[in-house]
Amino acid sequence: MHGEEDANYKVPQREPLHVQKEDLDAGALFVLKSKGSWMHCGYHLTTSIVAPPLLSLPYALTFLGWVGGISCLIIGALVTFYSYNLLSLVLEHHAHLGHRQLRFRDMANHILGPRWGRYYVGPIQFTVCFGAVVASTLLGGQCMKAIYLLSNPNGTMKLYEFVLIFGCLMLILAQIPSFHSLRHINLVSLLLCLAYSACATASSVHIGNSSKELKDYSLNGDTQDRVFGIFNAIAIIATTYGNGIIPEIQATIAEPVKGKMFKGLCVCYAVVAVTFFSVAISGYWAFGNRAEGLILSNFVSNGKPLVPKWFVLMTNIFTILQLSAVAVVYLQPTNEALERTFADPKSKEFSARNVIPRFVSRSLSVIIATTIAAMLPFFGDINSLIGAFGFMPLDFILPVVFFNLTFKPSKKSYIFWLNTSIAVVFSALGVIAAIAAVRQISLDAKTYRLFANV
């Protein structure tokens, strides 16, 4: 594969070899079962990308304005769709050669060297995925609290109590044995994200049409605030498009894998096009620069819903249900690591030898995530930092680097320079977005309190 022409780095047609079952560790054998179709892959991809953080997109637009905001959304969609396809092609190529790779760190070990996988890609992916579980648990608790306050405005229950309730739901879902077992849950999740996006869009349009206030689309703050705001918004959009588990999702596809990931990505990005743009545009149009960090917060003013109460309740319930599916998907890399450490691949999957360590270790990981979410209700600020340090490398930079190192396109070819440009631009954006996130944390630090009832 050292050719000079574009034709030379096309993925081969046949896949004669595959990973032998006896070579697999317990994590790959039990959690990353290769049994799914391209449609199941589409469900997993949609759940991991089209998640409730998309309800923050109108807020991101308050820092970018109409032109900048829509441009960033389009660029984010194009670059991630392209990057995820490149990652898929690299995985297909290695599968053809008889080295099917099931995890992101396996790819890094093979392409960049063992230290990259162990000390860079592995820890970053674990932090991003576990951070997504904590963020989903916190957001689930906040949505539950919103429902409670609508029903009982003078209620005394605190946010951490709702986070604990959501954590109990997660304890049950975490015991689902493998990634492939989530396919039906993730189909329901796909329908739920369409449902709450439609509800959020309809609410924004209704409130925007009935409001007598003039809509203000000007950018707030002085020059410094605006500049940092732009990079903060870019981090929000990158995190919203972020995935971080493409190899693990492709690992669930039954052989031959060729072309299936592309079909799955097409399913996912059809949903992205419908949900991201409708929620972002309608929310920013309706509320202008008053759009909140979560657009659902704009639907209630001084404790009174601006749309029918049942509609706000329904939107929140759809969001909570999908958050549980998103959290379970992002638990899979943790589950895989736990299974690899504590399970015995020579024993049966549901033998007492494997079931007891699985139950204990997964329950502990959920308890830790729930405790962090309850203790740190300002985790959103921390998550934007994780997004800048984690999602940027995993989803924007490493795929193009892996492709160039695997297929070695000619330095005269457009694809080499396109990939190199993406890597350089998004490396710079990642660093600046991380600085913006740290600044935001330092500005908000005076309001931080453990177990705060925000």
Side-chain angles (χ1 to χ4, degrees):
M1 301 303 289
H2 289 265
E4 291 76 31
E5 305 300 326
D6 286 2
N8 285 17
Y9 50 84
K10 285 180 181 170
V11 175
Q13 298 300 307
R14 291 164 58 249
E15 290 169 332
L17 298 169
H18 56 86
V19 178
Q20 296 299 311
K21 272 215 162 188
E22 55 269 25
D23 296 339
L24 295 177
D25 57 55
L29 197 60
F30 299 147
V31 179
L32 302 176
K33 293 178 182 175
S34 303
K35 291 183 173 181
S37 68
W38 66 266
M39 189 58 90
H40 298 149
C41 171
Y43 302 157
H44 300 322
L45 285 164
T46 306
T47 300
S48 59
I49 296 173
V50 189
L54 74 90
L55 299 171
S56 299
L57 289 175
Y59 175 68
L61 264 62
T62 64
F63 297 107
L64 298 167
W66 278 116
V67 176
I70 304 298
S71 301
C72 283
L73 282 176
I74 293 170
I75 291 166
L78 293 175
V79 172
T80 51
F81 184 76
Y82 174 71
S83 293
Y84 297 155
N85 271 300
L86 292 191
L87 211 49
S88 172
L89 290 174
V90 173
L91 287 162
E92 286 179 11
H93 170 64
H94 287 297
H96 172 79
L97 297 176
H99 309 295
R100 187 169 182 191
Q101 290 162 347
L102 305 177
R103 293 167 281 235
F104 222 130
R105 66 176 178 278
D106 294 348
M107 292 185 78
N109 283 346
H110 192 78
I111 298 167
L112 300 175
R115 288 187 176 181
W116 282 91
R118 179 174 294 173
Y119 300 115
Y120 181 70
V121 173
I124 277 185
Q125 188 195 31
F126 180 82
T127 306
V128 163
C129 292
F130 203 70
V133 176
V134 175
S136 298
T137 308
L138 175 59
L139 198 49
Q142 288 173 334
C143 289
M144 284 182 175
K145 185 186 171 192
I147 291 173
Y148 172 70
L149 290 178
L150 266 181
S151 311
N152 183 9
N154 300 316
T156 56
M157 283 183 74
K158 304 286 192 289
L159 174 61
Y160 67 82
E161 296 174 74
F162 295 103
V163 170
L164 293 177
I165 294 168
F166 189 88
C168 291
L169 170 63
M170 285 299 305
L171 267 178
I172 298 165
L173 293 175
Q175 306 308 327
I176 294 171
S178 70
F179 208 152
H180 180 63
S181 312
L182 298 175
R183 61 195 182 283
H184 303 304
I185 289 176
N186 287 345
L187 168 59
V188 175
S189 165
L190 187 153
L191 299 173
L192 285 168
C193 72
L194 288 170
Y196 68 67
S197 297
C199 290
T201 303
S203 298
S204 294
V205 171
H206 172 78
I207 295 166
N209 280 328
S210 55
S211 173
K212 301 290 188 289
E213 289 182 35
L214 281 173
K215 299 174 181 68
D216 184 4
Y217 302 112
S218 61
L219 303 179
N220 291 327
D222 57 23
T223 306
Q224 185 186 6
D225 287 341
R226 287 184 188 181
V227 169
F228 278 110
I230 288 167
F231 290 110
N232 221 1
I234 289 170
I236 290 170
I237 291 171
T239 304
T240 309
Y241 277 111
N243 179 287
I245 50 174
I246 291 289
E248 285 79 2
I249 290 175
Q250 187 150 331
T252 66
I253 301 174
E255 293 191 354
V257 296
K258 184 171 168 50
K260 291 179 181 175
M261 193 67 167
F262 177 75
K263 292 179 184 174
L265 280 165
C266 288
V267 171
C268 173
Y269 274 78
V271 179
V272 165
V274 171
T275 53
F276 281 34
F277 289 88
S278 62
V279 170
I281 292 168
S282 64
Y284 186 53
W285 169 78
F287 302 104
N289 57 22
R290 292 184 300 109
E292 300 269 359
L294 200 66
I295 198 65
L296 302 183
S297 306
N298 283 99
F299 303 159
V300 180
S301 179
N302 300 321
K304 293 179 181 175
L306 302 176
V307 290
K309 191 172 175 180
W310 63 268
F311 200 76
V312 179
L313 293 175
M314 182 174 72
T315 309
N316 273 291
I317 289 167
F318 288 156
T319 307
I320 290 165
L321 291 174
Q322 205 230 353
L323 275 165
S324 62
V326 172
V328 174
V329 163
Y330 278 104
L331 262 181
Q332 295 311 304
T334 308
N335 289 349
E336 183 274 324
L338 292 169
E339 205 88 356
R340 185 164 38 89
T341 307
F342 298 115
D344 176 11
K346 295 183 177 67
S347 301
K348 289 187 176 178
E349 182 180 4
F350 297 109
S351 64
R353 164 66 186 83
N354 286 334
V355 167
I356 294 167
R358 181 182 302 136
F359 176 77
V360 173
S361 60
R362 291 186 183 192
S363 298
L364 274 174
S365 74
V366 170
I367 289 166
I368 291 166
T370 306
T371 305
I372 294 170
M375 280 177 64
L376 310 176
F378 44 85
F379 191 76
D381 284 356
I382 299 169
N383 224 30
S384 60
L385 183 62
I386 291 173
F389 273 125
F391 282 123
M392 284 283 195
L394 292 178
D395 297 324
F396 293 84
I397 301 163
L398 285 175
V400 295
V401 172
F402 285 174
F403 185 90
N404 278 5
L405 290 175
T406 300
F407 294 109
K408 297 179 172 58
S410 162
K411 290 184 181 175
K412 294 177 182 175
S413 65
Y414 77 90
I415 200 163
F416 174 85
W417 288 106
L418 173 63
N419 291 349
T420 306
S421 303
I422 288 172
V424 170
V425 169
F426 283 94
S427 296
L429 280 177
V431 171
I432 299 166
I435 293 167
V438 169
R439 176 179 177 269
Q440 195 60 44
I441 289 170
S442 65
L443 290 176
D444 294 346
K446 57 182 176 291
T447 65
Y448 292 167
R449 286 195 333 279
L450 293 182
F451 297 102
N453 185 36
V454 290

